[in-house]
Amino acid sequence: MAFREELSAAHGDRVHISPQDECGLLDLAPWLETPDPGTKVYCCGPAPLLAAVELACAAWPPYSLRTERTAGALPEPVHQTAFEVELRRTGRTVTVMPDTSVLHAIRQVGADVLSSCEQGTCGTCLTPVLEGTPDHRDSILADHERAANDCMLPCVSRSRGDRLVLDL
């Protein structure tokens, strides 16, 4: 709703605004019932809406749906132990303790990483991974992006092993 005026101005009648308090629950079928090759579906909102859109897009081609959650539910880390993070460009290495985020730890040694939500829901702190396997705990990366293990959100994600090397 925050961008309704800008979207309507830019896209005219292609934008449909349906506030639940005025229109009830969305009827997703007219928009999502039939997969449309090459079309991407972007959805941000409360968990029940995202679940309904995910269900409606179940038959769509892989990677057609991108969701953004307004509040992340963090899974437990794979390892509850400390690990090392090397910042390749600066040559610095930091130990990330179990009770500290990677983002906090790397900032302590001078890494300048932008962040916003610090809950793994916005993607602002997305950081390239050069070595190691991240323990992805965000709610923004798609399965294929996680499987690539070439980036992570250091605000919430951790390491599956003893060491990560970031392109910082």
Side-chain angles (χ1 to χ4, degrees), residues 65-144:
L65 174 63
R66 171 70 76 157
T67 60
E68 184 175 328
R69 302 187 187 287
T70 54
L74 295 178
E76 286 297 315
V78 171
H79 296 290
Q80 302 280 344
T81 58
F83 57 93
E84 299 291 314
V85 173
E86 176 188 334
L87 309 179
R88 178 63 50 90
R89 283 190 266 154
T90 65
R92 294 187 173 160
T93 299
V94 63
T95 300
V96 181
M97 301 306 291
D99 61 344
T100 303
S101 73
V102 173
L103 182 63
H104 179 75
I106 63 178
R107 281 181 170 166
Q108 293 297 312
V109 295
D112 185 22
V113 177
L114 293 176
S115 67
S116 182
C117 72
E118 297 194 15
Q119 296 178 14
T121 61
C122 75
T124 303
C125 66
L126 189 67
T127 300
V129 175
L130 301 174
E131 294 175 26
T133 305
D135 176 11
H136 297 286
R137 302 175 67 234
D138 63 271
S139 60
I140 195 168
L141 293 178
D143 290 342
H144 72 284

Side-chain angles (χ1 to χ4, degrees), residues 27-37 39 41 52-53 55-61:
D27 180 10
L28 297 173
W31 290 296
L32 303 175
E33 189 169 56
T34 305
D36 187 5
T39 296
V41 177
V53 170
L55 183 62
C57 289
W60 283 61

